[in-house]
């Protein structure tokens, strides 16, 4: 699994992520506020963005959705209870749903209310497992959320 962590270089001090399949080069972008940096990193890494996934509805996680989707044609995913809060969601997700990125990455959706009531974490399984919980990445279940 290819993982690119992108710092947003703004006052929100959070990260955007790209996770990509090394076989097909298809990728998902998670919480792409800094959409220009996400697009640049994807192009530099020869990755094709096919999905945008929002962990929750706050602006610093959805602010780049429209621009990155316009540029890539990607589909937009979010918690099913956030579809009225996040514009143009293609697929509302709930606990236990699964997404496939390319041939080698399976993502399980975890419903994790708390930060917002429409918050999800993404458990990505590939050659290395990783948990994406909004602003922080944890490899192999190590870390504190």
């Amino acid at each position: 699994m290819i993982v690119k962590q992108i710092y947003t270089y703004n006052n929100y001090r959070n990260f955007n992520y790209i996770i990509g399949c090394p076989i097909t080069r298809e990728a998902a972008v998670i919480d792409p506020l800094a959409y220009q940096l996400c697009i640049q990193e994807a192009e530099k890494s020869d990755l094709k963005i096919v999905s945008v996934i929002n962990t929750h509805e706050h602006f610093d996680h959805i602010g780049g959705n429209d621009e990155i989707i316009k540029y890539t044609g990607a589909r937009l995913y979010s918690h099913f209870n956030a579809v009225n809060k996040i514009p143009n969601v293609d697929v509302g997700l709930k606990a236990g749903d699964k997404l496939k990125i390319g041939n080698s990455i399976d993502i399980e959706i975890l419903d994790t209310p708390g930060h917002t009531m429409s918050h999800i974490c993404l458990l990505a399984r590939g050659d290395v497992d990783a948990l994406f919980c909004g602003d922080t990445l944890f490899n192999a279940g190590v870390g504190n959320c």
Side-chain angles (χ1 to χ4, degrees), residues 6-100:
I6 300 164
Y7 184 64
T8 59
Y9 293 101
N10 60 34
N11 290 335
Y12 299 115
R13 299 180 315 233
N14 55 2
F15 294 96
N16 304 161
Y17 294 95
I18 301 173
I19 55 175
C21 172
I23 300 165
T24 66
R25 310 306 290 179
E26 291 178 322
V29 177
I30 302 168
D31 296 334
L33 176 62
Y35 70 91
Q36 305 99 327
L37 295 175
C38 292
I39 290 169
Q40 289 170 2
E41 185 62 41
E43 290 177 347
K44 182 175 91 175
S45 301
D46 190 33
L47 295 170
K48 179 182 184 210
I49 298 169
V50 296
S51 302
V52 173
I53 307 171
N54 294 141
T55 57
H56 62 286
E57 69 272 14
H58 289 161
F59 174 77
D60 60 325
H61 293 260
I62 70 168
N65 286 355
D66 290 343
E67 292 84 357
I68 203 164
I69 290 168
K70 186 186 303 181
Y71 188 81
T72 65
R75 292 180 53 115
L76 178 58
Y77 299 83
S78 76
H79 191 287
F80 75 99
N81 281 331
V83 297
N84 293 325
K85 300 172 188 168
I86 300 172
N88 305 313
V89 172
D90 293 304
V91 179
L93 301 168
K94 61 186 183 318
D97 284 349
K98 305 238 190 273
L99 298 175
K100 184 120 179 124

